[in-house]
Amino acid sequence: MTTQTTEKTRTDLQATDVQATDVQATDLQTTVAKLEKAQVIEKPANTGEATTGATFEKLTCKECGTEYDAKALHVCEDVCFGPLEVSYDYELLRRTVTRETIQAGPNSIWRYRPFLPVATDNPIDVGTGMTPLVKSHRLARRLGLKNLYIKNDGVNMPTLSFKDRVVSVALTRAKELGFTTVSCASTGNLANSTAAIAAKAGLDCCVFIPSDLEAGKVLGTLIYSPTLMAVKGNYDQVNRLCSEVANTHGWGFVNINLRPYYSEGSKTLGFEVAEQLGWKLPDHIVAPLASGSLYTKIYKGFQEFIKVGLVEDKPVRFSGAQAEGCSPIAQAFREGRDFIAPVKPNTVAKSIAIGNPADGIYALELARKTNGNIESVTDSEIIEGIKLLAETEGIFTETAGGTTVAVLKKLVEEGKIDPDETTVVYITGNGLKTQEAVQSDVGQPLTIEPKLSSFEQALERSRTLERLEWQQVLV
């Protein structure tokens, strides 16, 4: 101990009728316990906070079923190296969680805390979740759908993407496990979220991105003052590097050694849709596919609500969206394969450009068993998807959302979506992050003189151009 610490400890001991000589005792842990009980000193934050009881029990291998303690581990090290997933006490959840207890909770993902792998009653809450489920009218009419909903995570807090959900869960668990430095491998959105929420939580942060990311995502990370590593390579190369760093530095990587906890945050996109639909499941969902984790966790969220009696069981079709320039899951689906062949990404949709998707095989199985589809679209179709959503619903999405809307349109045109189905399309990020993608496709402002005549001329020219565009569409 330092002299300053020793003196403070003596004062604290005297204030609580604990003898100062205890500081010199061999059983220092006993002394600390007495101080903690007397609330003179606090336990370190990373030992956990007040809790009403964790509902998660262990980590279980998805392939062989081997069980592990709920620690920082993401693969089955003892048997098959399969991915690990969090297991819960569903009987306890059934007895203690109701629609009313959920609705009485905070207006964030933490209203579903019993279904998330954290023990504390004081998670990192930055207002994440409970984003709008928008009933579409103009886009629905354009596509010929009667019951289309848009789950808009492009307005999620604090960094305008669904990644805020998974990071809030991962960093809360990271603190419980004692990590003081957190990190990630990212295509952009995850870097933003990790840096922002680490700043809120007071954690050191070092994140890794490909060096060719969009400027908005780079700036949206740097503003939170993390250490940002821009790697000369694609995401899959970044991820391999991060696995080595995780093994040598002992950091908490949200999508590596904390991945089982991190991925559970995506379930809240399923929980919220069910609650926002009046405690009912949709008939069909369309979501983007990168690693495949988001897609499969929405399904897990629906299944958990069914299991504990919060919603009635019904079949839900799961369809996935990929960019043609990085579509390993769509290719496997189209070709009837039961394995994923890695690809080298080459697409404008960088946020979903993962050539070797960790959960790709599970996404493939899910689409098939639910009678869904997995489609891919070109970069030009992605840009048109971004514009279509903006022009019809006033929602500006990034390239991942453009991919999803374009695939939705394609599935409708191919007769793979019933017009009467309740269909939910997931928009996972904000278009302000990927402005470069559409900059050359949205035209230029009409520059005029500060005169009425100049305005009238420009207005007439604009209307003429609009008529010509409509004539081309009709032809």
Side-chain angles (χ1 to χ4, degrees), residues 306-318:
I306 292 168
K307 191 174 294 187
V308 301
L310 291 171
V311 297
E312 291 185 8
D313 194 1
K314 64 175 288 188
V316 181
R317 299 171 62 205
F318 273 68

Side-chain angles (χ1 to χ4, degrees), residues 36 42-50 70-71 118-120 122 124 170-182 201-204 250 252 258:
E36 289 173 347
E42 297 179 351
K43 293 183 180 180
N46 61 23
T47 64
E49 301 183 38
K71 55 187 178 180
V118 300
T120 178
N122 297 294
I124 304 168
L171 296 198
T172 297
R173 186 62 181 150
K175 290 186 70 175
E176 292 179 344
L177 292 171
F179 288 103
T180 58
T181 300
V182 293
L203 295 166
D204 291 334
L258 294 171

Side-chain angles (χ1 to χ4, degrees), residues 191-259:
N192 294 171
S193 295
T194 302
I197 298 173
K200 170 69 173 178
L203 295 166
D204 291 334
C205 182
C206 178
V207 295
F208 297 76
I209 60 172
S211 59
D212 64 347
L213 279 194
E214 301 93 341
K217 289 181 178 175
V218 176
L219 176 61
T221 300
L222 287 172
I223 192 65
Y224 303 106
S225 297
T227 299
L228 181 61
M229 299 289 181
V231 181
K232 296 177 180 178
N234 60 37
Y235 172 80
D236 297 290
Q237 292 170 307
V238 173
N239 196 46
R240 283 193 292 273
L241 171 61
C242 287
S243 294
E244 296 180 52
V245 175
N247 289 333
T248 56
H249 282 262
W251 295 347
F253 274 78
V254 299
N255 53 346
I256 301 178
N257 53 0
L258 294 171
R259 185 177 180 84

Side-chain angles (χ1 to χ4, degrees), residues 109 112 129-131 151 165 268-276:
I109 62 169
Y112 309 111
M130 291 309 292
T131 53
K151 182 58 172 170
R165 298 172 181 272
T268 60
L269 279 167
F271 298 153
E272 286 178 22
V273 163
E275 183 179 350
Q276 290 168 325

Side-chain angles (χ1 to χ4, degrees), residues 55-56 58-60 62 84-88 90 93 109-110 112-118 162 165-170 173 254 258-271 293-294 296-298 300-301 304:
T55 56
F56 66 105
K58 54 188 175 291
L59 300 179
T60 305
K62 292 180 70 171
L84 302 182
E85 188 169 58
V86 180
S87 297
Y88 297 83
Y90 290 111
L93 287 168
I109 62 169
W110 297 112
Y112 309 111
R113 192 195 71 80
F115 294 92
L116 297 173
V118 300
F162 91 94
R165 298 172 181 272
V166 291
V167 173
S168 293
V169 175
R173 186 62 181 150
V254 299
L258 294 171
R259 185 177 180 84
Y261 310 104
Y262 155 91
S263 61
E264 292 288 288
S266 291
K267 295 189 306 186
T268 60
L269 279 167
F271 298 153
S293 177
L294 164 72
T296 58
K297 293 301 182 182
I298 293 172
K300 185 179 181 183
E304 287 184 340

Side-chain angles (χ1 to χ4, degrees), residues 19 47 56 67 120 123 137 157 179 186 191 227 244 291 308 312 327 331 350 378 389 397 405 418 422 426 455 474:
Q19 294 299 314
T47 64
F56 66 105
E67 296 179 351
T120 178
H137 297 290
M157 292 297 290
F179 288 103
S186 175
T227 299
E244 296 180 52
S291 72
V308 301
E312 291 185 8
S327 55
Q331 289 175 23
K350 295 177 182 178
T378 65
L389 183 62
T397 184
V405 172
D418 185 334
T422 296
Y426 283 88
F455 159 71
L474 292 173

